Amino acid sequence: MSVVELHEVSDSTGETARRFVTALRAQFPDEELVEVGHPRVETIDDLRLVVARAAGRPAVVVYTLVELELREAMAAFCAEAHLEAYDLLGPAIEAVARVTGHPARMQPGARPRLDSAYFRRMAAMEFAVRYDDGAGAGLLEADIVLIGVSRTSKTPLSMYLAYLGYKTANVPIVHGVTPPPQLFEVASRKLVGLTIAAERLAEIRGARGRALGTVRGYAALDAVQRDLDEAAALHRRLGCPTVDVSDLAIEEAAQRVLRLMEQRSDGQHVSA
Protein backbone atom coordinates (compact mmCIF):
# COMPACT_ATOMS: atom_id res chain seq x y z
CA MET A 1 0.00 0.00 0.00
CA SER A 2 1.53 3.32 -1.06
CA VAL A 3 1.75 6.28 1.27
CA VAL A 4 -0.47 9.21 0.32
CA GLU A 5 0.64 12.70 1.32
CA LEU A 6 -1.91 15.26 2.45
CA HIS A 7 -0.37 18.70 1.93
CA GLU A 8 -1.85 21.45 4.10
CA VAL A 9 -1.14 24.86 2.57
CA SER A 10 -2.01 28.07 4.40
CA ASP A 11 -1.18 31.77 4.36
CA SER A 12 -1.44 31.73 8.17
CA THR A 13 -0.74 29.12 10.86
CA GLY A 14 -2.46 26.29 9.00
CA GLU A 15 -4.76 25.42 11.91
CA THR A 16 -7.93 25.33 9.77
CA ALA A 17 -6.35 23.02 7.19
CA ARG A 18 -4.97 20.74 9.91
CA ARG A 19 -8.38 20.34 11.53
CA PHE A 20 -9.94 19.54 8.17
CA VAL A 21 -7.27 16.96 7.37
CA THR A 22 -7.68 15.37 10.80
CA ALA A 23 -11.38 14.87 10.09
CA LEU A 24 -10.52 13.60 6.61
CA ARG A 25 -8.03 11.02 7.88
CA ALA A 26 -10.63 9.60 10.25
CA GLN A 27 -12.65 8.52 7.22
CA PHE A 28 -9.74 6.44 5.89
CA PRO A 29 -8.51 4.49 8.94
CA ASP A 30 -6.95 1.71 6.85
CA GLU A 31 -4.96 3.99 4.56
CA GLU A 32 -1.44 5.22 5.22
CA LEU A 33 -1.85 8.99 5.06
CA VAL A 34 0.94 11.41 5.95
CA GLU A 35 0.37 15.08 6.69
CA VAL A 36 2.79 17.64 5.24
CA GLY A 37 2.33 21.18 6.54
CA HIS A 38 3.11 24.38 4.61
CA PRO A 39 2.18 27.34 6.86
CA ARG A 40 2.86 31.02 6.10
CA VAL A 41 2.75 30.60 2.32
CA GLU A 42 2.56 34.22 1.16
CA THR A 43 3.92 34.49 -2.40
CA ILE A 44 3.55 32.86 -5.82
CA ASP A 45 7.09 31.50 -5.48
CA ASP A 46 6.11 29.86 -2.18
CA LEU A 47 3.29 28.10 -4.00
CA ARG A 48 5.64 26.87 -6.72
CA LEU A 49 7.85 25.28 -4.05
CA VAL A 50 4.88 23.55 -2.45
CA VAL A 51 3.71 22.10 -5.76
CA ALA A 52 7.24 21.01 -6.66
CA ARG A 53 7.42 19.18 -3.34
CA ALA A 54 4.17 17.29 -4.03
CA ALA A 55 4.47 16.73 -7.79
CA GLY A 56 4.98 13.18 -8.94
CA ARG A 57 3.81 11.71 -5.62
CA PRO A 58 0.48 10.23 -4.52
CA ALA A 59 -0.72 13.46 -2.94
CA VAL A 60 -3.71 15.66 -2.24
CA VAL A 61 -3.29 19.39 -1.66
CA VAL A 62 -5.68 21.14 0.72
CA TYR A 63 -5.29 24.89 0.92
CA THR A 64 -6.70 27.81 2.89
CA LEU A 65 -5.57 30.91 1.04
CA VAL A 66 -7.40 34.21 1.41
CA GLU A 67 -6.04 36.25 -1.51
CA LEU A 68 -7.71 35.52 -4.83
CA GLU A 69 -4.43 35.76 -6.74
CA LEU A 70 -2.87 33.04 -4.60
CA ARG A 71 -5.93 30.82 -4.83
CA GLU A 72 -6.02 31.07 -8.61
CA ALA A 73 -2.28 30.43 -8.87
CA MET A 74 -2.50 27.38 -6.61
CA ALA A 75 -5.35 25.91 -8.65
CA ALA A 76 -3.39 26.46 -11.88
CA PHE A 77 -0.13 25.02 -10.52
CA CYS A 78 -1.86 21.90 -9.17
CA ALA A 79 -3.69 21.36 -12.45
CA GLU A 80 -0.42 21.60 -14.38
CA ALA A 81 1.21 19.10 -12.03
CA HIS A 82 -1.84 16.77 -12.18
CA LEU A 83 -2.32 17.04 -8.42
CA GLU A 84 -5.66 16.62 -6.71
CA ALA A 85 -6.37 19.91 -4.92
CA TYR A 86 -9.14 21.30 -2.73
CA ASP A 87 -9.76 24.96 -1.94
CA LEU A 88 -11.23 25.06 1.56
CA LEU A 89 -11.68 28.79 2.02
CA GLY A 90 -12.25 30.40 -1.39
CA PRO A 91 -15.76 29.13 -2.28
CA ALA A 92 -17.02 29.86 1.24
CA ILE A 93 -15.65 33.43 1.18
CA GLU A 94 -17.32 34.06 -2.16
CA ALA A 95 -20.64 32.54 -1.01
CA VAL A 96 -20.82 34.69 2.12
CA ALA A 97 -19.89 37.78 0.12
CA ARG A 98 -22.73 37.09 -2.34
CA VAL A 99 -25.32 36.61 0.40
CA THR A 100 -24.25 39.57 2.56
CA GLY A 101 -23.57 41.87 -0.36
CA HIS A 102 -20.26 42.90 1.22
CA PRO A 103 -16.74 41.86 0.23
CA ALA A 104 -14.50 39.94 2.61
CA ARG A 105 -11.62 41.73 4.35
CA MET A 106 -9.13 39.44 2.58
CA GLN A 107 -6.82 39.51 5.58
CA PRO A 108 -4.82 36.29 6.13
CA GLY A 109 -4.89 35.05 9.72
CA ALA A 110 -7.78 37.32 10.69
CA ARG A 111 -9.48 36.33 13.96
CA PRO A 112 -13.16 36.71 14.82
CA ARG A 113 -13.90 39.71 17.00
CA LEU A 114 -14.59 39.16 20.70
CA ASP A 115 -18.38 39.24 20.54
CA SER A 116 -21.11 38.15 22.94
CA ALA A 117 -20.75 34.51 21.87
CA TYR A 118 -17.08 34.54 22.92
CA PHE A 119 -17.82 35.93 26.37
CA ARG A 120 -20.75 33.52 26.79
CA ARG A 121 -18.40 30.62 26.03
CA MET A 122 -15.83 31.84 28.54
CA ALA A 123 -18.50 32.23 31.23
CA ALA A 124 -19.82 28.74 30.50
CA MET A 125 -16.35 27.19 30.77
CA GLU A 126 -15.74 28.94 34.09
CA PHE A 127 -19.13 27.69 35.28
CA ALA A 128 -18.33 24.08 34.28
CA VAL A 129 -15.07 24.15 36.24
CA ARG A 130 -16.73 25.67 39.30
CA TYR A 131 -19.60 23.18 39.41
CA ASP A 132 -17.77 20.04 38.32
CA ASP A 133 -18.59 16.73 40.03
CA GLY A 134 -21.32 18.13 42.27
CA ALA A 135 -19.20 20.96 43.61
CA GLY A 136 -20.85 24.25 44.61
CA ALA A 137 -24.53 25.13 44.57
CA GLY A 138 -25.05 26.34 41.03
CA LEU A 139 -27.38 23.64 39.71
CA LEU A 140 -30.32 26.02 39.39
CA GLU A 141 -28.21 28.38 37.25
CA ALA A 142 -27.14 25.66 34.82
CA ASP A 143 -28.38 25.28 31.26
CA ILE A 144 -27.66 21.54 31.43
CA VAL A 145 -27.15 19.18 34.38
CA LEU A 146 -25.53 15.81 33.67
CA ILE A 147 -26.16 12.97 36.12
CA GLY A 148 -24.20 9.73 36.12
CA VAL A 149 -21.97 7.32 38.01
CA SER A 150 -18.21 7.62 38.13
CA ARG A 151 -16.36 7.29 34.79
CA THR A 152 -19.27 8.14 32.49
CA SER A 153 -17.43 11.13 30.97
CA LYS A 154 -19.30 13.73 33.02
CA THR A 155 -16.38 16.16 33.31
CA PRO A 156 -15.05 16.11 29.71
CA LEU A 157 -18.62 16.25 28.39
CA SER A 158 -19.39 19.21 30.66
CA MET A 159 -16.31 21.05 29.43
CA TYR A 160 -17.11 20.37 25.78
CA LEU A 161 -20.69 21.59 26.19
CA ALA A 162 -19.32 24.66 27.96
CA TYR A 163 -17.04 25.31 24.98
CA LEU A 164 -20.19 25.32 22.88
CA GLY A 165 -21.61 27.98 25.18
CA TYR A 166 -23.82 25.97 27.58
CA LYS A 167 -23.43 26.38 31.34
CA THR A 168 -23.11 22.76 32.34
CA ALA A 169 -22.96 21.23 35.81
CA ASN A 170 -22.63 17.53 36.60
CA VAL A 171 -23.69 15.46 39.58
CA PRO A 172 -22.08 12.11 40.46
CA ILE A 173 -24.19 9.19 41.62
CA VAL A 174 -22.26 7.49 44.41
CA HIS A 175 -23.45 4.43 46.30
CA GLY A 176 -24.45 5.38 49.83
CA VAL A 177 -24.31 9.13 49.14
CA THR A 178 -27.56 11.12 48.91
CA PRO A 179 -27.79 13.38 45.85
CA PRO A 180 -27.82 17.13 46.61
CA PRO A 181 -31.38 18.34 47.45
CA GLN A 182 -31.00 21.13 44.89
CA LEU A 183 -30.95 18.51 42.12
CA PHE A 184 -34.65 17.88 42.66
CA GLU A 185 -35.42 21.57 42.21
CA VAL A 186 -33.87 21.79 38.75
CA ALA A 187 -36.32 21.97 35.84
CA SER A 188 -36.57 18.46 34.36
CA ARG A 189 -35.92 19.79 30.82
CA LYS A 190 -32.36 20.66 31.93
CA LEU A 191 -31.55 17.17 33.22
CA VAL A 192 -29.80 14.47 31.21
CA GLY A 193 -28.67 11.15 32.64
CA LEU A 194 -25.51 9.40 31.49
CA THR A 195 -25.26 5.62 31.36
CA ILE A 196 -22.83 3.05 30.01
CA ALA A 197 -22.62 -0.70 29.44
CA ALA A 198 -21.62 -2.50 32.64
CA GLU A 199 -18.74 -4.41 31.02
CA ARG A 200 -17.35 -1.25 29.47
CA LEU A 201 -17.57 0.62 32.78
CA ALA A 202 -15.84 -2.23 34.62
CA GLU A 203 -13.04 -2.11 32.05
CA ILE A 204 -12.61 1.67 32.40
CA ARG A 205 -12.73 1.55 36.19
CA GLY A 206 -10.26 -1.33 36.25
CA ALA A 207 -7.74 0.63 34.20
CA ARG A 208 -8.29 3.70 36.36
CA GLY A 209 -7.92 1.68 39.55
CA ARG A 210 -4.66 0.09 38.41
CA ALA A 211 -3.25 3.51 37.53
CA LEU A 212 -4.17 4.98 40.91
CA GLY A 213 -3.69 1.90 43.06
CA THR A 214 -7.26 2.05 44.37
CA VAL A 215 -9.33 -0.81 45.77
CA ARG A 216 -10.36 -3.53 43.31
CA GLY A 217 -14.02 -3.57 44.40
CA TYR A 218 -14.55 -0.28 42.60
CA ALA A 219 -14.29 -2.07 39.25
CA ALA A 220 -15.98 -5.37 40.18
CA LEU A 221 -18.81 -6.16 37.81
CA ASP A 222 -21.36 -6.63 40.62
CA ALA A 223 -20.46 -3.23 42.11
CA VAL A 224 -20.63 -1.63 38.68
CA GLN A 225 -24.06 -3.12 38.00
CA ARG A 226 -25.30 -1.97 41.41
CA ASP A 227 -24.15 1.59 40.69
CA LEU A 228 -25.79 1.56 37.26
CA ASP A 229 -29.05 0.25 38.71
CA GLU A 230 -29.05 3.04 41.31
CA ALA A 231 -28.36 5.57 38.58
CA ALA A 232 -31.22 4.24 36.44
CA ALA A 233 -33.57 4.49 39.42
CA LEU A 234 -32.56 8.11 40.02
CA HIS A 235 -32.94 8.96 36.34
CA ARG A 236 -36.48 7.56 36.43
CA ARG A 237 -37.25 9.46 39.62
CA LEU A 238 -36.08 12.71 38.04
CA GLY A 239 -37.89 11.97 34.80
CA CYS A 240 -34.80 12.66 32.69
CA PRO A 241 -33.75 10.95 29.44
CA THR A 242 -30.40 9.20 29.23
CA VAL A 243 -27.49 9.06 26.82
CA ASP A 244 -25.50 5.83 26.58
CA VAL A 245 -21.86 6.85 26.27
CA SER A 246 -20.47 3.31 25.89
CA ASP A 247 -19.17 3.80 22.35
CA LEU A 248 -19.47 7.55 21.86
CA ALA A 249 -16.78 10.16 21.40
CA ILE A 250 -17.27 13.30 23.48
CA GLU A 251 -18.42 15.25 20.43
CA GLU A 252 -21.05 12.63 19.60
CA ALA A 253 -22.29 12.45 23.19
CA ALA A 254 -22.59 16.25 23.29
CA GLN A 255 -24.70 16.29 20.13
CA ARG A 256 -27.04 13.69 21.60
CA VAL A 257 -27.39 15.69 24.80
CA LEU A 258 -28.21 18.83 22.83
CA ARG A 259 -30.69 16.93 20.67
CA LEU A 260 -32.49 15.75 23.81
CA MET A 261 -32.52 19.29 25.18
CA GLU A 262 -33.98 20.60 21.93
CA GLN A 263 -36.65 17.90 21.82
CA ARG A 264 -37.70 18.57 25.41
CA SER A 265 -37.81 22.31 24.80
CA ASP A 266 -40.08 21.64 21.81
CA GLY A 267 -42.34 19.53 23.97
CA GLN A 268 -41.59 16.28 22.17
CA HIS A 269 -41.75 12.99 24.06
CA VAL A 270 -38.31 11.58 24.81
CA SER A 271 -37.88 8.09 26.16
CA ALA A 272 -35.23 7.51 28.81
Side-chain angles (χ1 to χ4, degrees), residues 6 12 56 59 68 77 79 84 86 97 115 120 148-150 170 173 191-192 204 228 233-234 244 257 268-269 272:
L6 303 178
S12 184
L68 179 59
F77 292 158
E84 292 287 347
Y86 187 71
D115 56 10
R120 183 168 61 251
V149 300
S150 173
N170 67 79
I173 301 174
L191 303 176
V192 176
I204 294 172
L228 290 173
L234 180 59
D244 188 332
V257 168
Q268 300 180 35
H269 174 70

Side-chain angles (χ1 to χ4, degrees), residues 25-254:
R25 291 183 65 184
Q27 301 304 316
F28 297 91
D30 300 324
E31 302 293 335
E32 191 170 357
L33 306 177
V34 176
E35 296 181 39
V36 182
H38 305 274
R40 305 296 180 186
V41 173
E42 300 172 340
T43 68
I44 299 293
D45 287 338
D46 290 339
L47 297 180
R48 287 196 179 95
L49 290 174
V50 169
V51 172
R53 167 68 175 81
R57 301 168 179 266
V60 175
V61 178
V62 174
Y63 56 98
T64 54
L65 301 169
V66 171
E67 293 185 13
L68 179 59
E69 180 184 10
L70 294 181
R71 281 189 269 128
E72 292 178 340
M74 177 55 100
F77 292 158
C78 287
E80 291 172 6
H82 304 289
L83 286 171
E84 292 287 347
Y86 187 71
D87 181 359
L88 270 181
L89 205 54
I93 287 176
E94 293 164 5
V96 173
R98 286 195 299 270
V99 173
T100 63
H102 298 286
R105 293 175 60 188
M106 295 302 186
Q107 178 181 335
R111 297 288 182 179
R113 63 186 179 188
L114 302 183
D115 56 10
S116 60
Y118 170 83
F119 291 108
R120 183 168 61 251
R121 183 184 303 121
M122 293 301 103
M125 295 180 73
E126 181 181 346
F127 183 94
V129 171
R130 185 183 306 150
Y131 300 117
D132 179 44
D133 215 17
L139 296 182
L140 296 179
E141 303 172 33
D143 298 320
I144 302 171
V145 178
L146 304 175
I147 309 154
V149 300
S150 173
R151 318 316 300 174
T152 49
S153 302
K154 294 187 302 300
T155 295
L157 186 51
S158 293
M159 293 305 300
Y160 186 79
L161 288 165
Y163 175 76
L164 297 179
Y166 298 91
K167 290 184 177 180
T168 308
N170 67 79
V171 176
I173 301 174
V174 181
H175 178 63
V177 177
T178 303
Q182 198 178 39
L183 178 61
F184 300 93
E185 301 174 22
V186 178
S188 61
R189 60 182 174 79
K190 296 183 178 183
L191 303 176
V192 176
L194 301 179
T195 190
I196 189 172
E199 295 78 8
R200 176 62 176 151
L201 181 55
E203 178 186 345
I204 294 172
R205 285 186 174 183
R208 177 70 169 174
R210 288 190 295 273
L212 299 179
T214 54
V215 293
R216 295 179 61 185
Y218 170 72
L221 191 57
D222 57 346
V224 165
Q225 191 61 63
R226 177 205 63 206
D227 290 353
L228 290 173
D229 289 343
E230 291 182 4
L234 180 59
H235 294 156
R236 288 192 296 270
R237 180 181 173 188
L238 292 167
C240 64
T242 58
V243 172
D244 188 332
V245 300
S246 302
D247 300 307
L248 296 181
I250 293 300
E251 296 85 353
E252 295 173 303

